[in-house]
Structures are given as C-alpha cells and as structure tokens.
Amino acid sequence: MKTLLSCLILLLFTGNAYSQKAEINNFLVKEGLLKNSKLAIIAADSLDQPLERINGLYTFTVSGFTQPLKFNEGVAVLPMQLERSAFVYIKHENERGTHSKLLYVYKKDGNLNPIAINSMWLILIPLLLVFIAFAFRKLIIFVVILLLVFMYFNHSNGLNLSTFFETVFDTLKTLF
C-alpha cells in the first residue's frame, strides 16, 4: 500500500512539472508571411529572440477588440486585414502584468511596415505644445491649431481618444 501511495504522489508531482504554461511577456509585430495585409504577432523573450515553444490560445486586445489568438511555434496571425495605414495598439495581460505596444503600420504597395512608437511621445508632444503656448502668449492660436491637427491625425488613423488614454495610462503604470 505504501508503494502505491508513493507512486501516486510521485506521479502527481511529475504531472505538475510538465504542465507548466508558457507566458508571453514580450512580442514582436511583423507583416504576415502570406503578404495578405495581415499582421503576425511573434512571441519573444526580453532580448527580442522568438520563442518557438509558445503554442495554444492567448488573449490579446487589438485596438480595443479582445481576440483569442492561436499561436503555433510562437507565431499568431491577426484575423483582420488592414486597408490603409493606421495606428494599432496591441495589449496582452497575464500574471506578470500588462504587455503592450503602440505601432503605426505604414501600408504602401500592399506591403505593411509596422513602426513601434514610444508612448512617451504621446505625452511629451502635447505637453511641449502647452508649455510653448504658456511661454509665448502670442503663439496660443498657433499651438491650439497644432494640437487640433495632432488630434485629427491620431483619430483619422485609428487612434481614438479612449485608445490614446489607455496607451498613456499603461505607459505611466510601467514607469511607476
């Protein structure tokens, strides 16, 4: 009876060792291999080296829409196609926190070129413009026009106000 019990306990411990779930704490965004205007998310380590051991379903939020993505050997393809250049905000949450990236995906001649944007620029540009407006009172109208152009460019390319503030707050959370 003791040998049966010890075998069951040993089996229980080895079963837990093999059932570890791989987490995605960093990811890269590239154009899909099929060149069909879709983006591919590649699971990566902290040095941006692809992790091929990632398989299964993981939940990502893409520009406000929550989607389960199926990873095969570390790669998942987003189901939606991009018709034109746009901002794309990709976020993944797990036990270790929130991992997100803001990208401007430039589309030209059917090719996608994702450009990572540091979210601090979304904070610094409006703050700099407001500082200039307060420092030079004669430039207030010019600065207001620049702020409106900045907001229109962001909104017309898919970065609406809710995504803008979500990006800013996620950036501020990582700083503190």
Side-chain angles (χ1 to χ4, degrees), residues 27 29 39 41 59-69 78-82 84-93 99-105 117 154-167 170:
F27 54 89
V29 180
L39 293 174
I41 297 178
T59 303
F60 278 77
T61 303
V62 181
S63 295
F65 298 102
T66 302
Q67 299 180 3
L69 297 178
L78 292 174
M80 57 188 144
Q81 291 183 330
L82 288 173
R84 60 185 178 92
S85 299
F87 284 102
V88 178
Y89 181 62
I90 301 174
K91 181 171 75 168
H92 174 65
E93 293 184 40
H99 312 285
S100 60
K101 294 197 179 199
L102 178 65
L103 305 157
Y104 183 73
V105 181
I117 297 175
N154 289 344
H155 183 71
S156 67
N157 285 313
L159 188 64
N160 56 19
L161 279 177
S162 64
T163 307
F164 177 84
F165 285 118
E166 183 179 3
T167 306
D170 283 344

Side-chain angles (χ1 to χ4, degrees), residues 136-153:
F136 306 103
R137 301 272 184 205
K138 293 180 181 181
L139 296 177
I140 288 178
I141 294 174
F142 179 69
V143 169
V144 168
I145 291 171
L146 281 178
L147 281 171
L148 290 174
V149 167
F150 179 73
M151 288 174 28
Y152 176 74
F153 175 76

Side-chain angles (χ1 to χ4, degrees), residues 36-63:
N36 55 358
S37 297
K38 292 184 180 182
L39 293 174
I41 297 178
I42 303 166
D45 61 7
S46 61
L47 299 174
D48 288 341
Q49 299 297 321
L51 296 174
E52 295 178 357
R53 63 181 164 83
I54 303 293
N55 292 307
L57 284 174
Y58 291 87
T59 303
F60 278 77
T61 303
V62 181
S63 295

